[in-house]
Amino acid sequence: MENTAKPSNPLSQKDFMERPQLEALQFERLQKIVKHAYEHSPFYTKAFDAKGLKPEDIRCLADIVKLPFTQKTDLRDNYPYGLNAVPRSEIVRLHASSGTTGKPIVVSYTRGDLETWSETAARCFLMGGVTEEDIAVIGYGYSLFTGGMGAHQGMERVGATVIPQGGGNTEKLCMLIQDLGVTTICCTPSFFIHLMEVAEKLGIDLRKSTLRHGFFGAEPWTDEMRQRMEQGTGIKTHDIFGLSEIMGPGVAGGCDGRPGMHIFEDHYFPEIVDPQTGEQLPPGCEGELVLTTLDKWAMPLLRYRTHDITRLTYERCSCGRTLVHMDPIRRRSDDMLIVRGVNLFPSQVEALLLQVKGIVPHYELVVTREGAMDDLEVRVEVTPELFGDQVSVLESLRKEISLKIKSMIGINAKITLVEPGSIARSAGKTKHVIDKRQK
């Protein structure tokens, strides 16, 4: 049954705007941010002029397709401040991406940008049932990565009590959960799985703790992982989505209505495009998510290509929200591995592994090449109980995984079973792919 009741919190009430009202607000903000970007960002001035485009050419929301795309390479090529659209004196904070190589992507914020960010992060937590009565521990890193500060300021905006634990020191985190009566945790799903493992070793039953909410993001996670977390701890899991380039955590959040997330489209305008052609696709079609910041002034981004593959649905959700609904993101257009001509996404392997008894969801895909032939090794941890078992049991498990992967992708992979805790954990984004092929 559809829930049309609006919550009392004024921030949450914004989630229930009727679409004509919402679209009018979107268009008003789009016109302003386009004009601001063109007049104050040399990057966009050049990009507009190259297309023969002026801000006044944007006469309706549909005209957004006239705007140029922005790519991650644009941010790298204009490091560090080349996309800023305000004087340095108006910038009150800098964050940076957790990029793997080279220079990071630097993101600038005005005081107003931080207000917008804290608002949308707070709306994520309100959507998940957090109130001022909750005690929330932040397990994302407090660093240039946006996770820690983004979740922190969102929780404070709700009015919850915030514990800025940060990543790492998992045994201390287990103690804090018990001693301080923590009800809510924000971290990556892989870190929470690690927390569950540590708690078990310490003899702590998280199902008997005060924990009741978990907000997880920064890396893809599967339904099997969600089930494992909920059954193992008794918490309710919630999705939270964001990009450092766009703002940070809080661009979208999950409700109780259905899998996936609502995008706070009064601040972040979404599109779906064909990953190959860039052509905008109609609602309901799967494609690449593209986002435009409607009121981010320090570093506005127009039609930013996220490389996340999803689909958008505009019908009112069963939770009552009118905000567009985004399907769960299971893959990206740029994390695809091609092994012996076969397309492979890490999330596919993760979903398969989580169906196998005797292993834990920590794995690495190692791709090597000898001559012209690619080889795939899947390194996966076994449970502590199984690791010390007979060789024949481990060999049977190895064969089971090998057959499942062969059935899924059509090639033979080397399966390496490793001892518990031997694959690196991370409070940030866990790296699942090690590609050793010569580029």
Side-chain angles (χ1 to χ4, degrees):
M1 182 177 179
E2 184 178 288
N3 177 14
T4 57
K6 298 181 182 180
S8 58
N9 192 293
L11 292 181
S12 292
Q13 289 177 6
K14 296 182 178 183
D15 300 351
F16 297 83
M17 280 191 288
E18 295 302 325
R19 186 142 291 273
Q21 179 188 3
L22 174 59
E23 291 180 351
L25 177 61
Q26 287 176 320
F27 180 52
E28 177 187 346
R29 288 179 170 176
L30 179 64
Q31 284 187 308
K32 290 180 179 178
I33 204 68
V34 166
K35 187 173 187 294
H36 174 71
Y38 178 73
E39 293 180 351
H40 299 286
S41 168
F43 170 81
Y44 281 115
T45 303
K46 183 178 179 180
F48 274 51
D49 289 347
K51 292 176 68 74
L53 184 67
K54 298 296 182 184
E56 52 267 27
D57 294 329
I58 307 303
R59 300 185 178 93
C60 62
L61 280 177
D63 285 340
I64 197 168
V65 297
K66 298 179 181 179
L67 299 175
F69 285 116
T70 310
Q71 307 269 10
K72 183 170 284 192
T73 52
D74 295 323
L75 279 70
R76 290 195 180 111
D77 293 345
N78 290 274
Y79 172 88
Y81 302 127
L83 270 77
N84 284 0
V86 298
R88 192 211 55 78
S89 59
E90 294 182 25
I91 295 172
V92 297
R93 192 191 298 174
L94 296 174
H95 280 282
S97 72
S98 54
T100 55
T101 59
K103 299 286 187 179
I105 290 171
V106 176
V107 187
S108 307
Y109 301 81
T110 65
R111 197 168 301 281
D113 295 338
L114 294 182
E115 284 292 310
T116 297
W117 186 9
S118 67
E119 175 200 311
T120 56
R123 286 162 70 180
C124 279
F125 301 136
L126 289 165
M127 195 184 302
V130 177
T131 72
E132 65 275 4
E133 300 298 323
D134 281 292
I135 300 175
V137 64
I138 310 301
Y140 292 117
Y142 282 79
S143 62
L144 289 174
F145 173 58
T146 55
M149 291 295 293
H152 185 123
Q153 62 196 14
M155 282 293 181
E156 284 192 339
R157 186 78 174 262
V158 171
T161 301
V162 184
I163 304 170
Q165 161 71 15
N169 206 340
T170 316
E171 291 189 5
K172 181 179 179 182
L173 179 53
C174 289
M175 180 191 72
L176 293 177
I177 290 172
Q178 290 185 301
D179 294 352
L180 302 183
V182 173
T183 63
T184 305
I185 187 169
C186 302
C187 61
T188 64
S190 59
F191 181 72
F192 189 73
I193 292 286
H194 176 53
L195 172 69
M196 291 170 60
E197 296 170 344
V198 172
E200 185 177 1
K201 289 180 181 178
L202 295 174
I204 298 171
D205 188 352
L206 291 176
R207 288 170 296 189
K208 296 180 180 179
S209 74
T210 50
L211 270 181
R212 64 187 185 91
H213 287 300
F215 292 85
F216 305 108
E219 63 187 18
W221 51 307
T222 60
D223 292 336
E224 291 84 2
M225 216 168 171
R226 182 190 301 273
Q227 186 178 26
R228 177 186 176 91
M229 293 154 73
E230 291 187 343
Q231 290 181 349
T233 63
I235 68 169
K236 175 67 176 175
T237 59
H238 308 274
D239 293 278
I240 185 169
F241 171 80
L243 303 86
S244 296
E245 304 94 299
I246 292 295
M247 190 68 87
V251 172
C255 70
D256 292 329
R258 53 183 165 173
M261 289 167 279
H262 289 286
I263 300 174
F264 299 109
E265 53 179 325
D266 49 327
H267 295 289
Y268 317 109
F269 187 87
E271 303 172 71
I272 295 293
V273 304
D274 184 305
Q276 303 301 321
T277 67
E279 178 184 358
Q280 189 184 75
L281 300 175
C285 291
E286 184 180 79
E288 180 183 344
L289 178 67
V290 171
L291 292 169
T292 295
T293 58
L294 294 178
D295 53 357
K296 187 168 187 286
W297 301 99
M299 200 182 89
L301 288 184
L302 307 179
R303 305 196 79 198
Y304 183 74
R305 300 192 62 160
T306 68
H307 294 290
D308 289 315
I309 302 298
T310 185
R311 76 180 79 237
L312 301 178
T313 305
Y314 286 84
E315 290 79 10
R316 186 190 294 267
C317 182
S318 60
C319 73
R321 287 174 175 80
T322 55
L323 294 171
V324 66
H325 184 271
M326 174 176 69
D327 278 4
I329 295 171
R330 301 303 191 199
R331 60 189 177 91
R332 290 172 53 84
S333 62
D334 62 351
D335 72 350
M336 182 178 69
L337 282 171
I338 301 178
V339 182
R340 300 188 190 181
V342 176
N343 295 344
L344 173 65
F345 289 92
S347 57
Q348 292 175 291
V349 177
E350 177 174 291
L352 181 150
L353 292 174
L354 285 167
Q355 297 171 13
V356 179
K357 292 183 179 180
I359 63 174
V360 293
H362 295 293
Y363 68 97
E364 290 177 336
L365 306 181
V366 183
V367 188
T368 56
R369 176 176 295 160
E370 291 187 13
M373 184 65 71
D374 294 337
D375 290 306
L376 173 65
E377 178 187 8
V378 180
R379 302 181 70 249
V380 59
E381 291 183 10
V382 297
T383 60
E385 298 79 16
L386 196 64
F387 186 70
D389 218 323
Q390 299 177 5
V391 173
S392 60
V393 175
L394 295 174
E395 184 59 26
S396 177
L397 180 60
R398 185 183 295 108
K399 287 181 179 178
E400 179 187 355
I401 298 171
S402 180
L403 287 172
K404 285 180 178 293
I405 290 180
K406 176 68 181 293
S407 176
M408 179 180 69
I409 63 176
I411 64 174
N412 291 312
K414 177 184 177 183
I415 309 301
T416 304
L417 302 179
V418 300
E419 65 181 299
S422 60
I423 292 178
R425 273 59 162 166
S426 173
K429 294 187 179 181
T430 298
K431 184 178 181 181
H432 290 302
V433 176
I434 301 173
D435 195 340
K436 296 183 177 181
R437 294 173 291 187
Q438 294 293 326
K439 301 298 183 181

